[in-house]
Each structure stands twice: as structure tokens, then as C-alpha cells.
Amino acid sequence: MDKAIAYVLAIAEKKSITEAAKSLYISQPSLSRYLSSLEKQLGLNLFTRTVEGTELTEAGKLYVQYARAIQQNYTALKNKMKEQRRVQANTLNICTCLNPVTLTTHEIMKAYQEKYPKGQLRISNVLTKDFPQLLATGNYQFAIGPKEVGQDTYDYRMIYADEYLLLVPTSFPLLPAIRQKKEDLPRTRLAEAAGFPFVLQDRNTNVRRNIDKICRQEQVKLENFTEVTSSVLAIRAVENQQGIAIIPSGFLPFASGMQDFRCYYFTEAQSRAGILFPHGKIFSPQEKFCVSLIDEILHRESKICRKLALETWEEKKSDRP
């Protein structure tokens, strides 16, 4: 707020330049000189000195009337700016690739809004390969997904891991498999399915790179396959009986008809997801809450996915190996 307004209002309130100077923590001569300079600029006297103290002139009364209005507006402005700072502090922008978070976005945002009513949480779906570029802009607090090769310029903290599953269309023959416990899915070998048509994600995806690694480790070559761009499209192809797919179990909720395929375990490899963030980042309470919220929901979804996979076998008791 303008210094002149504060000084004039203080003199008008105290009715004394000496007392006003004390309240303003300046010397009386300094305040007197400032008032004289201001009155000279205005060409008007704002105060008159009497035996009873310092009184406002008619011009002074008009000055104080508008000065108080300015002071009130300035106070309102400061409060609005303070409120805006709180909103910005409680507003998060995060990005994620297509994964179970996509299905729970509404739930996550609702829970965050309940915790921080004056804040906002924005979740953007992007490609994993774009994480570093987006984080470098500073527009996103962190990213959620797998850690890609070449992303060592950022820190990574794993949140959860999914099993890789073989999804086999019901029109395909049962694969040789063992089931040690009722609560376990049948376990087979990738080699048992290698002769059937496959639907694989393209080589730009993290899932496909992991599949290729599994194939090399198990010395299995998949030759009869078509390519799609995501795990969701691979699930759709399996549902349409087009071929076998390999997906992280976390994608099972994207299925529209799990009665159309069976799930098998076949590898110890896992699909890992976590948060990617700049080196040395100190997480705010809002960010910590968001991470814990996502962590909780993803672990819950993981249990649901396991249950869904088991149900595909419980519903087909006559087909059990």
C-alpha cells in the first residue's frame, strides 16, 4: 500500500504527528517533513494544527475517505492473494501412462478434493517415453508408471508390482499347467504357448521390451504374432479370440468379458510401477498424501485383479487342468 496513505491515516487516527510517528516507528521530524512534502504536491493542506491536536481539513477528510477505501481494497487484495497461494500450494499436476491409475482417476481426485477442498488434482495420460520431457518443464510434480531406460536423470521410487499373465482365448486348447493351490492360478511355461498366434504390443512399449527379455531368458521365440499399441487393445484382441496376449495383471479391469479367456502364470518377472521425480525433490504434505493415496488404491486394485483372474477359472470348473 502507498506510504502516503498509511502516514495520513495514522495521523488522522492519532490526531497527533508525534503519536503517529511512534505507531509508524519513524521519527516525528521525518513524518512532519513527509507530510509537508505531500501537502505541497497536492497543493492542499490535509491537517490543521490546533491546541487540541492535529485536525483534518475538508481536503483532509476527503483524502481519508478515499484512503480508507483504498486500504480496505488493499487488505482484500492481500487476502485474495494469500488464498490463491494456498490454492496453488494444494494444486498438483501429475502425469501417468495407461495403467490401473487410469481406471481410478476419478476416485483419486475425489479423495484429494475431500482432503484439500481449496486445491485441485489434475492427472494427465501421456506416453512413458515423454515423462522426462514433461517433468523438465516443471509443470508436473511427478509421473506415475514404469521406469524406462535412459531416465536416470530422475529419481524413481517403486510403488507396486504386477505379475505378467498369459491370456488365452477360450477357443484355444487348454495349456499344460499345474495348480498347486486353489488360490493360485495355473502355472504354465511360455514354450507351451509359443506355437499359437499371439497379440503383442509394439516394440515402443515398456511391456513389449519386458516380454522380449522374458523370451530371451526362456529361449522362446514367438513368430506368429500381430502387434497392437497397448495392453488394452491386446485384451480386446484376446476377447475376440484373435490370439494369446501377455499383459500385466493390473490391466485386467480393462477387460469387458473375462469369460472369453483364461489367465495363466508363466514367469517370475513383474511389471513394476512407481513415481518418477526430479533429483533432490522434497515432497510437500499434499504430494505425500497424493502418493500414499495412489499407493493404497493400486495395491487394492492389485488384489481385485488377482481375484478376477482366479474367478475365470472358478467359473470354468469343467475346464480345469
Side-chain angles (χ1 to χ4, degrees):
M1 187 174 63
D2 187 87
K3 184 163 60 174
I5 291 175
Y7 285 6
V8 171
L9 289 177
I11 297 171
E13 179 185 350
K14 299 295 183 181
K15 296 183 179 182
S16 164
I17 293 178
T18 299
E19 294 302 314
K22 290 179 181 178
S23 69
L24 293 168
Y25 298 101
I26 60 175
S27 67
Q28 185 271 333
S30 295
L31 182 57
S32 294
R33 285 194 298 271
Y34 188 90
L35 178 59
S36 296
S37 176
L38 176 62
E39 290 177 326
K40 184 176 181 180
Q41 291 175 18
L42 295 173
L44 295 164
N45 288 331
L46 301 180
F47 295 92
T48 182
R49 285 75 174 174
T50 69
V51 292
E52 295 180 356
T54 304
E55 301 289 339
L56 287 166
T57 63
E58 289 301 315
K61 292 177 181 178
L62 187 63
Y63 188 100
V64 167
Q65 176 185 345
Y66 281 92
R68 283 176 177 157
I70 291 172
Q71 185 184 54
Q72 291 172 356
N73 285 332
Y74 183 71
T75 300
L77 173 62
K78 288 198 298 181
N79 290 337
K80 287 294 182 182
M81 292 300 99
K82 185 177 180 180
E83 180 180 343
Q84 186 63 28
R85 286 195 299 273
R86 287 199 298 268
V87 169
Q88 289 184 355
N90 293 338
T91 297
L92 299 183
N93 292 300
I94 62 178
C95 54
T96 178
C97 59
L98 186 62
N99 61 41
V101 171
T102 308
L103 287 174
T104 57
T105 294
H106 177 72
E107 180 183 356
I108 293 170
M109 293 173 68
K110 181 180 178 182
Y112 186 86
Q113 197 74 46
E114 290 174 354
K115 176 73 172 179
Y116 299 103
K118 292 185 178 296
Q120 291 182 340
L121 173 62
R122 304 186 185 99
I123 303 177
S124 303
N125 282 310
V126 301
L127 297 176
T128 308
K129 66 181 181 64
D130 294 332
F131 281 175
Q133 179 183 351
L134 292 172
L135 289 173
T137 66
N139 295 328
Y140 294 91
Q141 278 71 44
F142 56 86
I144 308 168
K147 184 177 182 181
E148 295 266 2
V149 176
Q151 291 182 348
D152 293 334
T153 54
Y154 294 88
D155 287 334
Y156 179 80
R157 194 179 92 198
M158 191 184 84
I159 294 179
Y160 79 111
D162 282 335
E163 303 94 345
Y164 278 107
L165 300 177
L166 273 180
L167 305 191
V168 181
T170 52
S171 62
F172 284 38
L174 288 170
L175 299 179
I178 58 172
R179 192 177 185 186
Q180 295 178 339
K181 300 178 182 178
K182 184 179 179 180
E183 60 270 21
D184 287 340
L185 284 173
R187 179 173 292 275
T188 189
R189 296 171 54 247
L190 184 58
E192 300 290 353
F196 293 102
F198 268 77
V199 180
L200 301 177
Q201 296 180 51
D202 66 49
R203 297 185 187 279
N204 291 322
T205 64
N206 188 67
V207 171
R208 177 59 181 278
R209 284 190 285 272
N210 285 337
I211 291 173
D212 289 344
K213 183 178 179 180
I214 293 169
C215 288
R216 288 193 298 271
Q217 291 174 342
E218 300 195 9
Q219 298 182 341
V220 172
K221 191 171 185 180
L222 305 178
E223 296 180 330
N224 182 13
F225 64 86
T226 56
E227 290 188 341
V228 294
T229 56
S230 70
S231 291
V232 175
L233 292 179
I235 292 173
R236 296 289 175 268
V238 175
E239 291 173 336
N240 292 327
Q241 311 297 300
Q242 295 174 7
I244 296 173
I246 299 173
I247 67 159
S249 62
F251 280 89
L252 284 180
F254 286 94
S256 58
M258 288 190 62
Q259 70 277 3
D260 297 319
F261 58 83
R262 300 182 182 87
C263 302
Y264 293 83
Y265 287 146
F266 74 100
T267 180
E268 299 300 325
Q270 292 180 317
S271 172
R272 301 176 184 273
I275 56 173
L276 198 70
F277 51 94
H279 285 319
K281 176 179 176 60
I282 299 176
F283 283 78
S284 67
Q286 295 85 353
E287 291 167 340
K288 290 178 180 178
F289 173 75
C290 186
V291 171
S292 65
L293 182 63
I294 292 170
D295 188 354
E296 176 186 343
I297 289 176
L298 289 180
H299 278 88
R300 183 199 69 199
E301 290 300 303
S302 179
K303 293 180 181 178
I304 292 174
C305 290
R306 172 183 283 271
K307 182 180 177 182
L308 287 172
L310 287 170
E311 286 176 355
T312 64
W313 283 93
E314 293 303 315
E315 293 171 0
K316 303 179 182 66
K317 292 182 179 180
S318 61
D319 292 336
R320 287 187 193 176

